[in-house]
Amino acid sequence: MNSVSSQDFFGNFSALSDLKTKAQKDPETALKEVAQKFEAIFINMLLKNMRAGNESIGSGLFSSAQTKQYQDMMDSQMSQTLAKTGGIGISDALIRQYEGKGSVSAPSHDDTSLLHRVSQQDLVRVQALAHKASTEFVQAVQKEVAEKASIDSAKSNLAGVAASDVTKPSAQSVAFDSPESFVKALWPHAQQAAEKLGVNPKAILAQAALETGWGKYPIAKEDGSASFNLFGIKADSRWQGDRAVVNTLEYRDGIAKREKAAFRAYDSFSQSFNDYADFLSASDRYKDALESGDDASNFAASLQKGGYATDPKYSDKINHILSSKWFESL
C-alpha cells in the first residue's frame, strides 16, 4: 500500500505557492490541478454536510471534540484524494469551461446535473477510493507522529547526556600500574594543592600514595565506577555530593577492625586534591599541620595528631613513602 506523498497531503501549505509557479511555466497542467483542488473543496463541503446530518441525529459513543478534529482532517484528505483519482466530474467540467477560452456556451447536460451524477456513482468504486484516502491519511498522521517522537527522543537523549555527562569510568580503569606513573600523573596536582595550603607538596602526594596503595587500589562506588578519592575523606553530614560506601580498616583502641563507611566521591583527581585542600583549611584540627611549612615529616605528624586517621602508625608510613626512591627526584 502506497503512502501519501507530501504533495498530496492536505496539510501541505506550500502546495499553493508551487501551483502558482507551475501555472507560469505550464498553464495546461496547472489548470487540471486547480480544477481538482476546487472539486476537492466541493467534496469536502458535501462530507461536512453529511457529518452535520449525523450530529443532528445524536452523539455516539466516540463523539468528542478530539474525534471531530480528526474526522475533519480525514475528510480533507479524503476529498483531495477523491478529486485526484477521478472525483465526481466537477474538475472535468471546469476544464471544459476554461478551455472554451471565455466563450459563453451553455453548459452541457453533464455539467448541470452534478447531483444526479453523484447519486449514480458506482458505490463500490466510491468506497474503494474512500478507503484508500482514509488509509493514506492515517499513514500520513502516523508518519508525522513518528517523526515528532523521534525528534523528541533525540532531544531527550541529548538532555540526558548533558545532565549526567558521559558514563563515568570504572575504578579499575583509573588505577595506576606503578609508583612511577602515580607520581608522574599526580605531582602537578599535589603542587597546586600545596601552594594553596602553604605546605610541602611531597607530603601531600605521599599521603595520597598511602591512602590508595600508590593508586593501585582506588575507592570504587557500588556500581564499580571511580570515586577519585585519593585521601580517604569520609562523607559525613557536611558532604552533599556523591558517595562511595565501602569496607575500610579502622583502629579502635589500637585494635584494627573492618567497618563499612561512606567516602566522598568526585568526578576527577583534580577535584579530589581541591576538596582535600578545602577540607584541611576549614578545620582547626589541622592548624598545626598547615603551619609546618616545608617540613613534610612535621606535616604528617600533625595530621595524625589532629585525628586525620585512626592508624597509630599513619605518620610513620607517610615518612617511609617520602624516603622512597620515587620521591628522590622530586
Side-chain angles (χ1 to χ4, degrees), residues 85-243:
T85 54
I88 56 178
I90 295 180
S91 61
D92 293 337
L94 287 173
I95 291 173
R96 286 195 296 272
Q97 289 292 326
Y98 279 106
E99 286 179 343
K101 301 188 184 298
S103 60
V104 188
S105 57
S108 65
H109 175 72
D110 288 338
D111 297 342
T112 57
S113 57
L114 175 62
L115 295 178
H116 176 71
R117 292 187 59 191
V118 171
S119 64
Q120 298 299 319
Q121 286 291 316
D122 183 357
L123 181 59
V124 176
R125 177 174 178 272
V126 173
Q127 289 177 336
L129 290 174
H131 175 72
K132 181 173 183 286
S134 61
T135 301
E136 290 176 347
F137 167 76
V138 171
Q139 289 176 342
V141 172
Q142 290 175 338
K143 181 180 179 182
E144 183 179 355
V145 171
E147 290 176 350
K148 185 178 184 302
S150 177
I151 294 174
D152 291 343
S153 177
K155 289 181 179 179
S156 177
N157 291 336
L158 289 175
V161 170
S164 60
D165 294 328
V166 187
T167 303
K168 292 184 177 181
S170 66
Q172 192 62 34
S173 68
V174 300
F176 293 91
D177 57 4
S178 67
E180 292 93 342
S181 61
F182 177 86
V183 171
K184 182 178 180 181
L186 300 182
W187 176 241
H189 297 292
Q191 289 178 303
Q192 292 177 3
E195 183 177 355
K196 183 176 181 180
L197 294 172
V199 299
N200 192 327
K202 292 183 180 181
I204 296 177
L205 189 59
Q207 187 182 4
L210 174 61
E211 291 285 351
T212 62
W214 295 97
K216 290 184 178 180
Y217 311 107
I219 297 175
K221 293 190 287 187
E222 292 182 348
D223 60 358
S225 61
S227 71
F228 294 100
N229 190 326
L230 293 167
F231 299 95
I233 302 178
K234 291 186 172 66
D236 55 18
S237 58
R238 295 170 295 178
W239 179 249
Q240 301 300 317
D242 201 1
R243 299 167 179 243

Side-chain angles (χ1 to χ4, degrees), residues 43-111:
I43 294 175
N44 195 23
M45 291 173 60
L46 292 177
L47 293 175
K48 285 182 180 297
N49 287 333
M50 287 188 290
R51 296 286 187 194
N54 290 334
E55 290 177 0
S56 64
I57 297 174
S59 59
L61 178 61
F62 300 103
S63 179
S64 66
Q66 290 77 15
T67 302
K68 187 176 185 302
Q69 178 184 4
Y70 279 101
Q71 281 181 342
D72 291 342
M73 295 169 65
M74 187 178 71
D75 289 347
S76 296
Q77 183 65 52
M78 187 184 302
S79 301
Q80 187 160 313
T81 303
L82 283 170
K84 194 175 183 65
T85 54
I88 56 178
I90 295 180
S91 61
D92 293 337
L94 287 173
I95 291 173
R96 286 195 296 272
Q97 289 292 326
Y98 279 106
E99 286 179 343
K101 301 188 184 298
S103 60
V104 188
S105 57
S108 65
H109 175 72
D110 288 338
D111 297 342

Side-chain angles (χ1 to χ4, degrees), residues 19-20 22-39 90-101:
L19 186 57
K20 290 180 180 179
K22 185 180 294 184
Q24 297 175 352
K25 297 180 179 180
D26 189 357
E28 293 184 1
T29 302
L31 174 61
K32 182 178 180 181
E33 292 190 24
V34 170
Q36 288 177 347
K37 290 185 180 301
F38 181 85
E39 183 169 358
I90 295 180
S91 61
D92 293 337
L94 287 173
I95 291 173
R96 286 195 296 272
Q97 289 292 326
Y98 279 106
E99 286 179 343
K101 301 188 184 298

